[in-house]
Amino acid sequence: MNLKDKKVVVTGGSRGLGLGLVEALVDQGAKVTVVARNVKDLDAAAERLGVYTISADITDEAAAHRIIADIRPDVLVLNAGAAPRMGLLDELTWEEFSINWETDVKAAFFWFQAVLKTPLDPGSRVLVGSSGAAESGSQMTGGYASSKRALWFMTKYANLFAQDKNLGIQFQAIVPRLMVLGTGVGDSAAGAYAAAMGITPEEFVSRFGAPMPPRAFGDHVISILKKPQFAESMVLGLNGNNGVTVIDL
């Protein structure tokens, strides 16, 4: 996919990994709209990068349908999500355990439905951010890992529906396979695990191999969108050592 002048919507694109992706998309000449709640962060992104912005809650069903219908993006990237509550299974309330189900999964549910019901044009791409925790679990982050795994199956179901209806829309889950410091979620998780092990967060994340700062993450997502070999893969892993790899669902 040539991204020049393509309409791209990125949720959670005002900071962290999402902002790194927005920077990469702008360099490709895409027309980017960033959706997030924090107006201050949105204004900063608009001023620095010249992107369009919308302040909205990603779990607002009406907002999801309105934004998809108004913009009709060529590419939708669902990057926003909640920071998990840190704690072992016996330390969390149900509300704390389920926060990522009530945010990440709920948001994907509404935005996927908006894409399929509108529907977007043939050739459109929808990428949803998952996590390496979906592969092996993460016992200190409550329901985070299971919610991120659920996104893989939702991606599969959305593709099956799109194929059955001949919509020509491709859904993909993107899986950062390491924690990235300086992104909020990565900081809290790495800090908790590092503290339990008696090491620094930097030492903990180094166990995952080469770092993948937000802009490198953005460049990897660009390669997913541009390279034909990734066009039909449903789940794709990203890390600092190997770049983009296909994960079997």
Side-chain angles (χ1 to χ4, degrees):
M1 174 183 285
N2 183 349
L3 291 166
K4 184 173 174 56
D5 294 326
K6 294 293 186 183
K7 294 180 292 184
V8 183
V9 170
V10 181
T11 69
S14 61
R15 59 189 177 90
L17 294 180
L19 182 57
L21 171 57
V22 170
E23 292 172 349
L25 287 164
V26 169
D27 284 350
Q28 293 288 318
K31 297 178 179 178
V32 183
T33 299
V34 178
V35 180
R37 288 185 299 179
N38 190 302
V39 174
K40 183 178 179 180
D41 289 343
L42 286 171
D43 289 345
E47 181 177 356
R48 183 167 68 87
L49 299 171
V51 296
Y52 304 101
T53 62
I54 298 173
S55 178
D57 185 332
I58 59 166
T59 63
D60 183 334
E61 182 177 9
H65 283 266
R66 181 179 66 252
I67 292 167
I68 290 299
D70 289 349
I71 298 176
R72 299 190 62 86
D74 301 291
V75 179
L76 168 65
V77 183
L78 300 174
N79 174 76
R85 297 291 189 265
M86 305 305 300
L88 296 174
L89 189 61
D90 66 325
E91 300 171 330
L92 301 172
T93 66
W94 171 249
E95 288 73 23
E96 291 170 332
F97 182 88
S98 62
I99 185 171
N100 294 100
W101 282 87
E102 290 294 336
T103 305
D104 305 38
V105 178
K106 186 177 184 179
F109 180 79
F110 289 148
W111 287 82
F112 277 21
Q113 283 194 338
V115 167
L116 293 169
K117 289 183 176 181
T118 299
L120 290 184
D121 294 335
S124 299
R125 304 274 287 275
V126 179
L127 278 59
V128 60
S130 180
S131 167
E135 297 183 272
S136 55
S138 176
Q139 67 172 344
M140 293 188 70
T141 56
Y144 179 79
S146 58
S147 73
K148 292 300 186 180
R149 184 72 177 209
L151 297 176
W152 296 19
F153 290 104
M154 291 173 67
T155 297
K156 179 179 180 179
Y157 304 155
N159 277 316
L160 290 172
F161 182 90
Q163 292 165 11
D164 184 59
K165 301 298 183 182
N166 295 314
L167 298 180
I169 303 170
Q170 180 70 17
F171 293 78
Q172 298 174 291
I174 51 178
V175 185
R177 284 175 139 168
L178 72 167
M179 297 178 190
V180 182
L181 297 181
T183 61
V185 173
D187 294 315
S188 60
Y193 280 104
M197 300 170 68
I199 59 177
T200 67
E202 289 75 16
E203 289 173 319
F204 177 75
V205 298
S206 70
R207 299 180 174 208
F208 294 94
M212 185 179 64
R215 180 53 195 264
F217 166 81
D219 290 335
H220 289 328
V221 176
I222 295 297
S223 70
I224 290 172
L225 291 169
K226 294 186 69 173
K227 293 184 177 181
Q229 64 263 40
F230 300 132
E232 296 184 2
S233 300
M234 276 196 288
V235 184
L236 296 144
L238 288 70
N239 66 23
N241 288 326
N242 301 318
V244 180
T245 54
V246 178
I247 300 174
D248 292 329
L249 177 58

